[in-house]
Amino acid sequence: MRVASMASLKKADIVRMILGERARVPRKAEGRAFAPANIALCKYWGKRNEELNLPITPSLSVSLGTLGSTTRIAVREGASADEVMLNGKPVPPRSKFAKAIGYYLNLYRPPGVFFRLDTENTVPTAAGMASSASGFAAFVRALDDLFDWRLAPRHLSILARLGSGSACRSLYDGFVEWQAGAEEDGMDSYAEPVPGTWPALRLGVVKVSVAEKEISSRDAMKRTRRTSALYEAWPVKVAHDLALIKDAIESRDFELLGRTAESNALAMHATGMAAWPPVLFWLPDSVAVMRRIWSLREAGHAVYFTMDAGPNVKLLFLATDTALVQEHFPGVELVAPFA
Ligand code: PMV
């Protein structure tokens, strides 16, 4: 009985569980918050619950410092629809973006109330870095501010996860681990900071294409999980890599961090290639960038990469190699997560 009803839990049920008796009456004219973008070093790839964005495995990311989203939210008095602004421009109400925001807002909306939501991204939007993670994390924090709920970080992380899985990691700076959890309702699936800073750590985004991707990460994960013969190896790979990445952070062993993150990303992409129909995010230029990285390594330079559900390549290196990276990857977008 219990299992049957738990399996059909909806996002709204979780929101209700977390908000409890808290009022949905704005306590101020405007809620406002920032959240950083994040890039996974050990990827989240595959859900055990599609509705609640509950992952099969844990994952570990690094937040991008001041790069992220700032969101402001206010009630639109007397309005009959929400208004969504992105980087100062109105978003067409029928766009995918506005619909996703509206759907998420419905989880919190008092009857007949409409909002104005204004998001500014400091992540260069054209750089191919995920902004949905920082977007949903800032969104949840802005709601918490508007309604003065004062939710615990763990609960904010769970609410952000309902918007987009990786968003639950954008509630913290630095290294962050998202616990997979085992509960049906996902109340044990949230992110927590991993101790340790690494001021010399650098990321570099090499833009290959900014065209909209052919398949969303949501659909790609689902197809991979259902059809790829390689998927059963993925949780084993994650358990192994996660332990190594934590060791690397603790001992500041950059080569261990770089090689584990790169191998983890390649394994994630391999599971997709073995799916049917195949999922391949790479373009010829993505492979060219990988090869350039491998020849730099052969020449003795500690430059590694990671890649998400798209063709752009994210370099991992140390501050001392900044000039080298700029020379070999002209136009690279540099990020110093701990600066
Ligand atoms: O949170 P989503 O649904 O956008 O999925 C993110 C998936 C990856 O970026 C490929 C991996 C990750 O852990 O961020």
Side-chain angles (χ1 to χ4, degrees), residues 40 43-45 164-166 169 217 221 268 308-309:
K43 307 293 182 189
Y44 147 55
W45 195 243
S164 154
S166 57
R169 298 186 309 235
S217 47
M221 280 183 208
M268 177 195 105
D308 292 307

Side-chain angles (χ1 to χ4, degrees), residues 38-40 42-45 47 53 59-60 130 132-133 164-167 169 178 213 217-218 221 268 307-309:
N38 77 75
I39 287 184
C42 184
K43 307 293 182 189
Y44 147 55
W45 195 243
K47 307 180 198 212
N53 292 334
S59 57
L60 192 149
S132 77
S164 154
S166 57
R169 298 186 309 235
W178 172 11
K213 47 191 178 190
S217 47
R218 162 175 289 272
M221 280 183 208
M268 177 195 105
M307 283 181 79
D308 292 307

Side-chain angles (χ1 to χ4, degrees), residues 140-141 144 150-160 168 171-172 190-193:
V140 168
R141 276 187 175 154
D144 185 73
R150 302 176 194 213
L151 292 172
R154 164 189 307 199
H155 285 155
L156 293 174
S157 177
I158 292 174
L159 295 178
C168 77
L171 266 302
Y172 297 98
Y190 49 84
E192 284 184 312

Side-chain angles (χ1 to χ4, degrees), residues 25-285:
V25 180
R27 303 286 182 180
K28 44 163 82 170
E30 180 183 272
R32 187 193 172 103
F34 169 81
N38 77 75
I39 287 184
L41 300 172
C42 184
K43 307 293 182 189
Y44 147 55
W45 195 243
K47 307 180 198 212
R48 66 172 197 277
N49 180 319
E50 303 273 339
E51 164 71 12
L52 304 180
N53 292 334
L54 294 176
I56 307 248
T57 70
S59 57
L60 192 149
S61 59
V62 60
S63 287
L64 304 189
T66 55
L67 294 186
S69 308
T70 299
T71 294
R72 294 182 296 148
I73 183 160
V75 168
R76 289 185 78 197
E77 296 299 343
S80 56
D82 297 324
E83 184 185 23
V84 180
M85 308 277 291
L86 180 61
N87 297 328
K89 294 195 191 102
V91 177
R94 283 170 196 280
S95 65
K96 242 197 214 161
F97 185 82
K99 281 187 185 159
I101 304 272
Y103 180 62
Y104 190 73
L105 265 176
N106 288 345
L107 298 171
Y108 306 90
R109 191 189 303 282
V113 173
F114 294 93
F115 297 92
R116 179 182 204 269
L117 183 112
D118 201 329
T119 295
E120 299 274 348
N121 284 331
T122 46
V123 187
T125 353
M129 267 191 273
S131 50
S132 77
S134 56
F136 276 110
F139 193 163
V140 168
R141 276 187 175 154
L143 285 168
D144 185 73
D145 185 37
L146 179 72
F147 293 111
D148 198 29
W149 289 326
R150 302 176 194 213
L151 292 172
R154 164 189 307 199
H155 285 155
L156 293 174
S157 177
I158 292 174
L159 295 178
R161 163 170 53 73
L162 299 177
S164 154
S166 57
C168 77
R169 298 186 309 235
S170 275
L171 266 302
Y172 297 98
D173 289 319
F175 296 111
V176 181
E177 183 177 357
W178 172 11
Q179 311 290 346
E183 302 288 339
E184 295 277 349
D185 60 9
M187 293 304 282
D188 57 351
S189 180
Y190 49 84
E192 284 184 312
V194 173
T197 64
W198 203 328
L201 186 69
R202 295 291 179 274
L203 277 97
V205 181
V206 181
K207 241 183 284 178
V208 166
S209 165
V210 289
E212 194 171 348
K213 47 191 178 190
E214 290 158 26
I215 179 167
S216 65
S217 47
R218 162 175 289 272
D219 291 341
M221 280 183 208
K222 190 164 157 184
R223 190 190 295 171
T224 301
R225 202 202 149 191
R226 290 188 182 169
T227 68
S228 174
L230 299 190
Y231 192 79
E232 70 174 58
W234 176 247
V236 182
K237 170 74 176 154
V238 168
H240 180 253
D241 290 349
L242 197 61
L244 292 181
I245 288 176
K246 286 187 192 168
D247 283 352
I249 292 170
E250 215 179 300
S251 56
R252 291 249 179 118
D253 181 340
F254 180 68
E255 301 206 354
L256 181 61
L257 183 89
R259 101 173 161 246
T260 312
E262 182 173 311
S263 161
N264 184 270
L266 288 168
M268 177 195 105
H269 285 266
T271 64
M273 287 179 223
W276 199 264
V279 174
L280 179 60
F281 293 103
W282 303 352
L283 292 174
D285 282 346

